[in-house]
């Protein structure tokens, strides 16, 4: 199981290097920024090949879930170690204010829409809240609290949702020169995207009645 995972990681790393070489300057960060997504796509291809060869009998989902749990713990510890506390302490007041305000807005927004999901709404809420207020790793950590065995589809969805980030590439290309122009155009564009997303939620009937509170 570890050999398959490490082989996938090895291929994904060099795939990211190739994607970085192809992408234009403003969006080069997507190469390793979406490494989770590229890894999932490559893993799907590898599993398809193993299936064609009749080798999927050697894969074990229970072992995979336990490896994922250990990897998430390790990732969180590594992330905390990488934080430069001297820099954080120098800007502790604005960082604290920003974190509190953004966290409150985010949790209210996600509770409102997360409670309207038909299945695994709470698990999905925890995963996306951790991601929105941190990284995919923190999203997986919160998910593991309410779903220790990763039996819900939220973990897989957390990776696949990065695919939708590709839809924002045109927006990123537009926003890339904004530091020279000013912050107001960026705020207006972001507000427009939010309004568009809310309209799409209504159109596709994802904005229904709450299923939990």
């Amino acid at each position: 199981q570890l050999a398959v995972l490490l082989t996938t990681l090895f291929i994904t790393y060099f795939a990211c290097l190739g994607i970085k070489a192809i992408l234009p300057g403003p969006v080069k960060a997507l190469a390793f920024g979406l490494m989770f997504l590229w890894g999932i796509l490559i893993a799907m291809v590898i599993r398809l090949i193993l299936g064609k060869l009749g080798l999927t009998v050697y894969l074990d989902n229970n072992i995979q879930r336990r490896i994922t749990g250990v990897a998430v713990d390790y990732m969180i510890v590594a992330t905390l170690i990488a934080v430069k506390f001297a820099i954080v302490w120098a800007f502790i007041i604005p960082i604290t204010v920003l974190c509190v305000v953004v966290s409150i807005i985010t949790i209210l927004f996600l509770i409102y829409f997360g409670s309207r999901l038909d299945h695994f709404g709470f698990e999905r809420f925890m995963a996306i809240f951790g991601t929105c207020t941190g990284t995919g790793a923190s999203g997986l950590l919160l998910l593991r609290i309410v779903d220790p065995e990763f039996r819900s589809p939220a973990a897989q969805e957390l990776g696949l949702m990065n695919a939708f980030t590709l839809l924002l590439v045109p927006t990123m290309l537009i926003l890339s020169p904004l530091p020279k122009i000013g912050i107001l155009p960026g705020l207006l564009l972001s507000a427009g995207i939010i309004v568009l997303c809310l309209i799409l939620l209504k159109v596709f009937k994802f904005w229904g009645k709450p299923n939990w509170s």
Side-chain angles (χ1 to χ4, degrees):
Q1 195 79 25
L2 281 173
V4 174
L5 286 172
L6 293 175
T7 300
T8 304
L9 177 60
F10 180 82
I11 297 173
T12 302
Y13 177 79
F14 286 98
C16 289
L17 288 178
I19 294 170
K20 185 177 181 180
I22 295 172
L23 292 176
V27 291
K28 279 188 180 294
L30 287 177
F32 282 93
L34 295 180
M35 190 174 183
F36 199 179
L37 171 62
W38 311 133
I40 288 177
L41 296 177
I42 291 171
M44 291 171 64
V45 173
I46 291 176
R47 188 177 183 90
L48 180 63
I49 294 173
L50 292 176
K52 294 293 183 181
L53 297 174
L55 299 175
T56 51
V57 293
Y58 297 106
L59 300 180
D60 189 295
N61 289 332
N62 289 326
I63 294 176
Q64 176 61 55
R65 281 195 289 266
R66 282 159 177 74
I67 292 174
T68 301
V70 172
V72 169
D73 291 342
Y74 180 81
M75 193 187 315
I76 293 297
V77 172
T79 302
L80 291 174
I81 292 175
V83 174
K84 296 182 179 179
F85 288 99
I87 296 177
V88 173
W89 184 254
F91 301 96
I92 189 64
I93 294 178
I95 289 176
T96 302
V97 172
L98 184 63
C99 287
V100 170
V101 173
V102 172
S103 295
I104 291 174
I105 295 173
T106 301
I107 196 170
L108 292 177
F109 182 88
L110 293 179
I111 285 177
Y112 182 82
F113 285 103
S115 63
R116 283 159 171 76
L117 294 173
D118 292 334
H119 305 289
F120 301 107
F122 189 64
E123 289 84 353
R124 287 166 169 161
F125 160 74
M126 293 296 285
I128 196 64
F129 175 74
T131 303
C132 289
T133 55
T135 63
S138 50
L140 285 173
L141 181 65
L142 287 183
L143 174 62
R144 194 180 177 202
I145 295 174
V146 296
D147 183 15
E149 298 295 327
F150 293 116
R151 298 192 181 279
S152 73
Q156 292 88 343
E157 292 171 351
L158 202 60
L160 290 174
M161 79 172 191
N162 287 283
F164 292 94
T165 306
L166 297 176
L167 300 176
L168 298 177
V169 171
T171 304
M172 293 175 66
L173 291 172
I174 295 172
L175 291 174
S176 58
L178 283 180
K180 301 177 182 177
I181 302 173
I183 195 173
L184 183 59
L187 292 174
L188 293 175
L189 182 59
S190 298
I193 293 173
I194 291 173
V195 172
L196 175 61
C197 290
L198 293 175
I199 293 173
L200 290 175
L201 286 174
K202 272 293 187 183
V203 171
F204 290 102
K205 298 180 180 179
F206 291 124
W207 193 339
K209 295 180 179 180
N211 294 306
W212 54 269
S213 59

